[in-house]
Amino acid sequence: MPDQPSNLSLERESAPSLPVRVARAAKVLFRTVGRLVGTLFVIGLSLLPLSALLVALPAVAPNEAVLSDTVAPARSRAQRFARRAL
């Protein structure tokens, strides 16, 4: 029998080079930090009461304001007085 490795050989390929290992470690570190920051962001938002989020909504989307004037502003003193008195 010749000494040729078969498909079922237990021989391993050589280990990856140092730059490849450093790149993989950096990638893992970056993903881990990203996941941690994302988790903390979601937990922080979940701890805020809903009313605080509704009040802050106009800062993010001004056209979708939750709190807005329901009555048009009065144009004169007489109109303002009539609205309050009547």
Side-chain angles (χ1 to χ4, degrees):
M1 223 185 220
D3 286 334
Q4 294 178 349
S6 67
N7 288 341
L8 300 176
S9 171
L10 296 177
E11 294 179 22
R12 293 183 176 245
E13 295 181 17
S14 63
S17 63
L18 182 61
V20 172
R21 287 185 289 168
V22 169
R24 285 182 185 168
K27 182 179 175 183
V28 168
L29 179 65
F30 184 73
R31 280 186 178 177
T32 302
V33 170
R35 287 179 180 170
L36 181 63
V37 168
T39 301
L40 290 176
F41 182 74
V42 169
I43 290 173
L45 283 180
S46 69
L47 294 176
L48 285 174
L50 181 59
S51 60
L53 293 175
L54 291 176
V55 168
L57 184 63
V60 179
N63 293 334
E64 300 294 331
V66 175
L67 303 175
S68 62
D69 293 333
T70 56
V71 178
R75 295 182 183 168
S76 68
R77 289 182 183 219
Q79 187 180 12
R80 188 177 317 127
F81 176 76
R83 183 180 294 161
R84 290 181 182 172
L86 302 175

